[in-house]
Amino acid sequence: MKENKDVTILAIESSCDETAAAVVRNGREVLSNVISSQIDLHKLYGGVVPEIASRKHIEKINQVIEETLKEAGKTLDDIDAIGVTYGPGLVGALLVGVAAAKAVAWARKIPLVGVHHIEGHISANYIEHPDLEPPFLCLVASGGHTHLVKVEDYGKYEILGRTRDDAAGDKVARAIGLGYPGGPKIDRIAKEGNPDAVKFPKAKVDGAEYDFSFSGLKSAVLNYINGCKMKGESFDPADLAASFQKAVVEVLVGNSMKAAEELGISKFAIAGGVASNSALRAAMIEACEKRKMKFYRPSPILCTDNAAMIGAAAYYEYISGARAGLDLNAVPNLKLGER
Ligand code: ZN
């Protein structure tokens, strides 16, 4: 792709519990990436409390935007477009970022681009892999959602498989006594456990070959724990975490590789918070090497929610001519590929 001029984007992300802003040049070069995490606040309640998230975003958003511009050595005069996540996510949380983005766009007459959060996660791969171009397959996995996506072109997606299960990782972590957020804690403790200690069922969804379902697995883990308690036996949290993680990773890798083989696609990427899981990364590297496929993954800081990935996605939207009006609204259930 040839560009006459650099495009510098100020990106804003506030869909869940991170208030984030970044400055990104030409979709792939991150000039600054500021994230204000609320995790410590929500930890007290064992999960994200939407009302608290919104209030905290309001407190932080202007500060985070100012900080990211300063870190990038830029002012609003240097910004060519504002990119903002407008869905999916918590409606009250999304609204804060969308309102801030619209205010800046209106005040400074800067074009506004709405970005899909999952599209942002996928685009995190463009930042660290300058050679990555569509088409490729991407597994986007986070606490609450998993999507297997065929990236046909910039901004053009086909969802091959998905899950809408509740956050199985968080619930299992809580049952084992690890607390919130569950994913990173399971990853850490699983390293000391035996992944073959407990055999859990592999989740399969009838009729939708690439779909994922982890609610059955989650129930199996909870039943196992209850069974131990009733028999007065103790269980090893590390073994349980390792066995649960293995069952999840097998399904994620299995569906992903099946899709890649059937569609004949030789480039595979992962994205989303779960993409920083060390067992998943290791299993994906091995599976891709075995099939001589190229494997791409963002570094952990770009896997969890951030605005740099939104800036990457916004760039490709921007150069394709997409513009949002000042009537842009938060869409909590926004579908990937929907405008
Ligand atoms: Zn996310």
Side-chain angles (χ1 to χ4, degrees), residues 198 224-240:
V198 190
Y224 178 85
I225 294 172
N226 280 338
C228 288
K229 280 182 185 157
M230 267 149 60
K231 284 183 269 179
E233 293 169 1
S234 64
F235 62 86
D236 181 347
D239 282 352
L240 206 51

Side-chain angles (χ1 to χ4, degrees), residues 68 77-78 98 106 110 115 161 164 166 185 251 261 281 337:
T68 211
D77 293 334
D78 305 311
V98 169
W106 178 77
I110 304 172
V115 175
R164 287 197 160 272
D166 48 6
K185 296 199 164 156
V251 174
E261 282 171 359
R281 286 167 98 95

Side-chain angles (χ1 to χ4, degrees), residues 36-258:
S36 169
S37 176
Q38 308 177 357
I39 285 178
D40 287 340
L41 214 60
H42 298 285
K43 229 183 231 168
L44 301 168
Y45 306 93
V48 176
V49 184
E51 180 60 25
I52 294 178
S54 314
R55 284 164 192 256
K56 211 64 203 167
H57 284 311
I58 292 172
E59 271 175 40
K60 290 281 177 191
I61 191 83
N62 288 335
Q63 199 182 319
V64 166
I65 292 172
E66 276 167 27
E67 210 176 309
T68 211
L69 285 168
K70 199 172 148 203
E71 235 178 65
K74 300 283 176 198
T75 70
L76 287 174
D77 293 334
D78 305 311
I79 300 299
D80 298 299
I82 317 267
V84 65
T85 308
Y86 72 109
L90 302 168
V91 65
L94 287 164
L95 277 170
V96 177
V98 169
K102 288 200 286 191
V104 178
W106 178 77
R108 305 300 294 248
K109 308 276 177 287
I110 304 172
L112 182 66
V113 178
V115 175
H116 190 287
H117 182 74
I118 304 286
E119 187 171 351
H121 274 303
I122 294 169
S123 303
N125 279 291
Y126 296 138
I127 295 169
E128 278 170 320
H129 304 289
D131 59 318
L132 177 62
E133 304 247 17
F136 61 94
L137 280 187
C138 188
L139 175 74
V140 194
S142 68
H145 300 263
T146 302
H147 290 82
L148 183 58
V149 180
K150 184 181 175 196
V151 182
E152 293 173 339
D153 202 346
Y154 294 107
K156 204 166 164 235
Y157 306 95
E158 187 193 343
I159 298 174
L160 304 171
R162 65 190 308 166
T163 178
R164 287 197 160 272
D165 289 344
D166 48 6
D170 280 340
K171 299 224 163 113
V172 166
R174 198 179 309 157
I176 302 177
L178 299 177
Y180 175 85
K185 296 199 164 156
I186 287 179
D187 192 5
R188 200 173 320 131
I189 187 176
K191 289 194 174 99
E192 280 132 47
N194 172 10
D196 299 312
V198 190
K199 276 265 166 285
F200 287 122
K202 233 187 263 178
K204 178 115 184 53
V205 182
D206 289 332
E209 57 176 339
Y210 302 131
D211 275 357
F212 308 92
S213 174
F214 298 110
S215 56
L217 174 60
K218 180 194 72 189
S219 303
V221 177
L222 301 185
N223 286 341
Y224 178 85
I225 294 172
N226 280 338
C228 288
K229 280 182 185 157
M230 267 149 60
K231 284 183 269 179
E233 293 169 1
S234 64
F235 62 86
D236 181 347
D239 282 352
L240 206 51
S243 302
F244 166 72
Q245 185 171 266
K246 184 186 174 184
V248 172
V249 166
E250 270 179 7
V251 174
L252 293 177
V253 176
N255 282 12
S256 298
M257 292 302 120
K258 197 167 141 209

Side-chain angles (χ1 to χ4, degrees), residues 13 15-16 117-118 121 142 272-273 303-305 309:
E13 153 68 38
S15 65
C16 191
H117 182 74
I118 304 286
H121 274 303
S142 68
C303 286
T304 44
D305 290 350
M309 67 184 198

